[in-house]
Amino acid sequence: MWRRFLGRLDVRSKSDGAIAFCARAQISGGATQGLVAVLTCIIFWEGGDGPLLLGWTLAVTVMSLFRSLSSVWLLRNMGNRRSAGIWGRANEVNFLFQGMAWASLAWMPYDGQDFGALFLVFFIPMGIVAAATHNLSALPLGLAALSYPIAISHFFGGLFLLGGPTGLLLAICAVIYIVVTTAGAHMSNATLVNECRLTRINNFIAARSRATVQELREVQSRLMEANRRLEQLASHDPLTGLANRRALMERLEQERARSSRTGSGFSLLLIDLDHFKAVNDGNGHQVGDAVLEEAARRISEGLRASDLAARHGGEEFAVLLAETGLADAVTVAERIRARLRDGSIQVCDSSVHITGSIGVAAWQGDRDRVDAIMSRADQALYAAKALGRDRVELAEAPAIMPRQILASSP
């Protein structure tokens, strides 16, 4: 039980906040005790032994200075439990010597008869010293080491030196002082133990809060990534990586609304890979998928950031050309057609040569709907396939651009 009590009083078991509070209190306590020692020397200088009193004052002042400076050193080394342990043990020893010094002072003015002087020395210095040290210092053992020698000297002095009712009264006062000081030390320690527990709880809560915030951030990041992937899957073709039909239709509606506001217009290309069913039937779906991926790459190559390439379905692709008239759309379509037929596609042991038929349609004004544009482009694509494939056909051909010039050779 006694070891458990001592362990609870060990300054190293306190939180950093409690140790810092203790150190600051000891700085002020050391300064107060040094001042009390000087004042005591002045008070008893006339009736006491000057050199002895001066030596006593110097000793107490040095010990008080050590108490304050060691506390300053601890504050500068806060967080080091070994430093806290050294500081606590050193001050307990320091307090013991201070207690002996104050106990010796208590009997200096006593001449065997003047009880008033003895009473004055006991209550005034003892009260001031207790006030200077009994400040929730987190060192109740040090407090006991400082206070108990004084009280014990008065207890035995009262019983054996003074004797009689006066000595008994002094001994009773010493016992009361010991009891009150011990109770105060226990209260001080209990306060600091509770403060330490609260600090540990607060630190735990803070750590858990930081961990929770970090976990929430990670969950949020994963959710954002999952949403991005879902959005990618919802708006893109998983095989080719191009936009899917849904994303194409949404973008066409946006372009139609923008063109209605600005009048800049847009064009749509529908592209169909020629004889793709024969590629699938003759080489298998694995080769067919590889051909679709390569075709998607060739179609999207060279497009602007404002344009959109999409897989319309099966072997059919679409390209939306923002702010592009019919003539420029035909130029882009011819480049795409040339890239599609440029070189064969090597897949495993198979070599596949592809071509594409392209239908071109352009926005015709505010009343032109998306489905109408799609229908015209589809009709132009059908015409390109009917006229021999591997060519570009227009849904509408202005007089300044004859179809014979625009159409490529089969």
Side-chain angles (χ1 to χ4, degrees):
M1 181 177 177
W2 179 246
R3 288 184 179 180
R4 182 181 178 185
F5 173 73
L6 291 179
R8 291 181 65 190
L9 300 185
D10 190 348
V11 69
R12 289 172 298 181
S13 67
K14 310 302 179 187
S15 66
D16 286 344
I19 295 174
F21 178 81
C22 162
R24 294 188 185 97
Q26 293 307 316
I27 293 173
S28 61
T32 304
Q33 186 172 252
L35 179 62
V36 170
V38 173
L39 293 176
T40 302
C41 178
I42 294 173
I43 292 173
F44 294 108
W45 183 263
E46 290 295 333
D49 186 342
L52 181 61
L53 194 58
L54 187 61
W56 175 88
T57 304
L58 180 61
V60 174
T61 303
V62 169
M63 288 184 284
S64 300
L65 185 63
F66 173 82
R67 176 180 172 186
S68 297
L69 293 180
S70 65
S71 300
V72 173
W73 170 80
L74 176 65
L75 287 176
R76 292 184 177 180
N77 292 274
M78 187 57 60
N80 188 331
R81 292 291 170 176
R82 185 170 179 271
S83 298
I86 294 173
W87 174 78
R89 296 292 178 257
N91 272 283
E92 286 169 7
V93 174
N94 183 36
F95 283 164
L96 179 61
F97 283 104
Q98 290 181 51
M100 293 178 181
W102 283 101
S104 63
L105 172 70
W107 297 96
M108 282 185 188
Y110 178 63
D111 58 5
Q113 294 179 351
D114 189 359
F115 175 72
L118 181 62
F119 189 84
L120 180 69
V121 172
F122 179 76
F123 283 102
I124 292 181
M126 285 289 288
I128 296 177
V129 170
T133 56
H134 204 307
N135 44 22
L136 303 182
S137 65
L139 287 172
L141 284 180
L143 175 62
L146 175 59
S147 303
Y148 289 174
I150 308 174
I152 292 172
S153 69
H154 284 77
F155 175 78
F156 287 105
L159 288 180
F160 300 109
L161 295 179
L162 288 178
T166 301
L168 181 60
L169 178 61
L170 187 59
I172 291 174
C173 288
V175 171
I176 293 174
Y177 185 84
I178 290 174
V179 171
V180 172
T181 301
T182 303
H186 277 286
M187 292 174 62
S188 171
N189 184 69
T191 301
L192 288 166
V193 167
N194 290 334
E195 190 273 343
C196 182
R197 289 173 178 169
L198 288 175
T199 300
R200 285 198 296 267
I201 292 172
N202 290 336
N203 291 340
F204 174 77
I205 293 174
R208 289 303 304 163
S209 298
R210 288 192 296 269
T212 301
V213 169
Q214 183 63 28
E215 290 172 0
L216 288 175
R217 287 176 179 170
E218 292 176 358
V219 170
Q220 184 181 24
S221 177
R222 290 196 294 269
L223 285 175
M224 292 176 63
E225 179 62 22
N227 288 336
R228 188 193 66 79
R229 289 198 299 268
L230 287 173
E231 184 178 351
Q232 178 78 7
L233 291 173
S235 60
H236 287 74
D237 175 57
L239 176 63
T240 63
L242 300 182
N244 58 19
R245 178 180 174 83
R246 172 186 171 186
L248 173 66
M249 299 305 291
E250 290 178 355
R251 179 66 183 278
L252 281 170
E253 289 290 352
Q254 294 171 5
E255 283 299 315
R256 190 191 69 81
R258 184 194 58 77
S259 297
S260 297
R261 292 194 308 270
T262 64
S264 58
F266 64 94
S267 296
L268 176 67
L269 313 181
L270 285 185
I271 307 164
D272 188 82
L273 300 184
D274 299 328
H275 305 296
F276 182 74
K277 185 176 184 303
V279 174
N280 257 344
D281 294 342
N283 300 278
H285 290 285
Q286 183 178 1
V287 173
D289 289 347
V291 170
L292 288 174
E293 291 183 68
E294 177 61 20
R297 186 191 67 80
R298 294 182 183 185
I299 290 171
S300 59
E301 188 178 40
L303 294 179
R304 301 168 301 177
S306 58
D307 299 332
L308 178 70
R311 186 181 179 189
H312 194 235
E315 68 271 22
E316 192 170 306
F317 297 87
V319 175
L320 186 154
L321 301 173
E323 299 183 2
T324 303
L326 193 60
D328 291 334
V330 170
T331 302
V332 174
E334 286 291 353
R335 287 203 301 262
I336 292 175
R337 187 187 68 81
R339 281 197 297 269
L340 286 174
R341 72 194 310 264
D342 184 21
S344 59
I345 301 173
Q346 300 293 329
V347 183
C348 298
D349 296 330
S350 301
S351 179
V352 181
H353 182 78
I354 60 172
T355 60
S357 301
I358 303 176
V360 182
W363 179 70
Q364 294 182 339
D366 292 347
R367 296 191 178 185
D368 200 8
R369 301 190 309 276
V370 169
D371 56 350
I373 300 172
M374 289 287 295
S375 177
R376 294 198 305 273
D378 192 58
Q379 291 174 7
L381 174 60
Y382 180 81
K385 297 181 80 65
L387 292 173
R389 296 183 172 84
D390 190 20
R391 60 189 295 133
V392 175
E393 282 294 321
L394 307 181
E396 54 278 306
I400 61 173
M401 191 178 293
R403 292 176 69 89
Q404 292 87 348
I405 297 175
L406 295 175
S408 59
S409 301

